[in-house]
Amino acid sequence: MNILVTAGPTREFIDPVRFISNRSSGKMGYAVARAALMRGHKVVLVSGPVSLQAPDGLAVVRVVSAAEMQSAVEAGVDGCDALVMAAAVSDWRPARVHANKLKKRSAPATLDLEPVPDILMGLASRKGGRIFVGFAAETENLLDEARAKLNSKNLDMIVANDVSRTDAGFEVDNNAVTFIPAHGEAMALPLMSKDDVAERLVKWIEARRK
Ligand code: C5P
């Protein structure tokens, strides 16, 4: 299969030196890319700014902003059989990007934000027979919030991720997730390495494809 994976955060600049971002380390998405590669798939990894080494043998497209990630995903989606959106795409960005560094003395009292277009939602008409998997990082109402995203983004599965835990989720090597498929029972997995979560996810995609 050709598998397109996104990983890491995006950065939304306020001025040339300051940005809004989030705690995503990219570890989960990189683990998915590695697992897919190890299981014999062709992988394109669209990566936000992270400090991880990409595995040999895959194409890496490096992006910074959500808009760049959207362009890279749109360029790759037609050629993929499965898309795994593990990236923590910014939900908002500054409405205005200043061309020069803002002076401390003239700092704006407020920062106007605008919503970032949803990459997955924008792909609905191009989904066809492709398998789309999303991730939902939540701190409360995990399963309800994840299910709402599964439906609104027209996904085949969402991986629900409780990021309020300190032993799993953001930045660490382990994850405790629930696989929620569009059809079928939710599967709560015990705490395990992100590599093991990734292998299970790739196997789920393979089984779904058959
Ligand atoms: O940010 P949110 O919780 O809605 O993210 C859920 C899923 O949607 C993730 O898989 C994420 O990569 C994707 N997403 C997206 N475009 C955005 C925000 C999130 O495709 N602008």
Side-chain angles (χ1 to χ4, degrees), residues 39 41 197-208:
R39 294 187 60 77
H41 301 291
V197 172
E199 191 186 350
R200 289 193 189 213
L201 176 53
V202 174
K203 285 181 175 169
W204 183 89
I205 291 170
E206 290 166 359
R208 179 81 176 71

Side-chain angles (χ1 to χ4, degrees), residues 4-12 44-49 61-78 80 83-85 87-93 114-126 132 153:
L4 180 59
V5 182
T6 68
T10 64
R11 289 180 181 171
E12 309 305 325
V44 176
L45 174 61
V46 177
S47 176
V61 183
R62 294 190 190 280
V63 299
V64 177
S65 66
E68 289 172 10
M69 185 167 282
Q70 179 165 28
S71 301
V73 172
E74 285 178 355
V77 72
D78 289 340
C80 82
L83 166 65
V84 179
M85 283 287 305
V89 185
S90 294
D91 291 317
W92 310 282
R93 63 185 168 211
E114 63 181 23
V116 167
D118 197 283
I119 300 173
L120 280 169
M121 280 190 193
L123 295 176
S125 65
R126 292 164 68 180
F132 282 6
K153 298 181 194 237

Side-chain angles (χ1 to χ4, degrees), residues 1-24:
M1 260 190 277
N2 289 301
I3 305 187
L4 180 59
V5 182
T6 68
T10 64
R11 289 180 181 171
E12 309 305 325
F13 277 85
I14 299 165
D15 69 16
V17 300
R18 304 182 178 96
F19 55 80
I20 298 174
S21 192
N22 59 65
R23 287 176 58 200
S24 170

